[in-house]
Amino acid sequence: MSRRAIFPGSFDPITKGHVDILKRALPLFDQIVVAIGENSAKKYFFPLAQRINFLKELFADEPKIEVNAYNGLTTDFCKTENANYILRGIRSSADFGYERTIAQFNSQLNNEVESIFLISSPEYAYLSSSVVREILKHKGDVSPFVPEIIVSKITDFKQA
Ligand code: ADP
């Protein structure tokens, strides 16, 4: 059976920290679906279409990575995608506490799904989408924090 994982998140926007987790997870799985969560109660900085666009551009040459959006329960999306693994990144003990609760909840909902965690690389342990959004709001330089090929797309979109 092929090993399919989903990597769920808001990716608002994707950062070098997300990319690091994905690249390190590639040898572990046959396929990884980057699953962009769309929760109608949540306000996003970038519209869904734009977040999909950034990710598709970034992984156009990586056949093991697919990009898709979902709403509803992550474990239901795993069924839809025929995926048995949920991939998440952990930066800190705060992330750990949060992720443990979600993982235990998810395994109650669907015990065929296993959550797999990778610890962030030290150079990205402080990095989050919210930091990038804050820099964008103040028209600062996000190039150290987001993948190079989408820097101008991200900046242009917000200045348009
Ligand atoms: P969510 O809103 O679900 O937390 P995010 O897009 O913020 O979505 O994050 C998706 C996943 O990527 C989460 O597991 C998060 O912990 C992980 N992640 C985010 N930033 C980093 C980073 N700098 N290093 C490692 N993992 C990260």
Side-chain angles (χ1 to χ4, degrees):
M1 204 175 99
S2 88
R3 276 192 302 245
R4 265 173 86 76
I6 71 160
F7 182 38
S10 309
F11 305 102
D12 190 24
I14 186 156
T15 70
K16 286 184 178 175
H18 293 123
V19 174
D20 178 60
I21 294 290
L22 263 172
K23 291 211 164 136
R24 287 165 49 209
L26 274 180
L28 306 176
F29 300 104
D30 298 303
Q31 207 77 35
I32 301 177
V33 182
V34 184
I36 310 180
E38 183 71 350
N39 175 345
S40 53
K42 215 167 151 182
K43 275 205 123 221
Y44 296 97
F45 196 70
F46 289 98
L48 178 63
Q50 206 58 40
R51 286 179 283 142
I52 292 177
N53 194 289
F54 296 149
L55 282 157
K56 287 210 161 152
E57 165 124 11
L58 208 48
F59 300 116
D61 296 329
E62 180 42 76
K64 286 175 81 175
I65 296 181
E66 292 168 29
V67 178
N68 212 339
Y70 76 106
N71 49 38
L73 295 173
T74 304
T75 47
D76 286 344
F77 188 65
C78 287
K79 284 185 194 146
T80 310
E81 283 290 339
N82 216 2
N84 285 85
Y85 302 94
I86 296 175
L87 170 68
R88 297 281 288 178
I90 291 188
R91 287 162 290 188
S92 61
S93 44
D95 272 0
F96 171 75
Y98 174 76
E99 294 295 341
R100 177 181 51 190
T101 308
I102 301 282
Q104 289 170 338
F105 175 64
N106 283 339
S107 72
Q108 287 293 309
L109 292 176
N110 180 350
N111 63 10
E112 285 173 11
V113 172
E114 197 63 76
S115 295
I116 307 285
F117 303 99
L118 293 185
I119 303 289
S120 71
S121 297
E123 65 266 41
Y124 301 127
Y126 66 90
L127 182 54
S128 63
S129 298
S130 60
V131 165
V132 173
R133 294 196 296 270
E134 199 56 29
I135 297 171
L136 285 170
K137 274 185 209 157
H138 299 288
K139 304 203 180 332
D141 176 17
V142 293
S143 58
F145 311 114
V146 300
E148 199 180 331
I149 66 162
I150 57 165
V151 170
S152 58
K153 276 194 137 194
I154 284 186
T155 314
D156 293 351
F157 181 82
K158 274 297 153 185
Q159 281 170 358

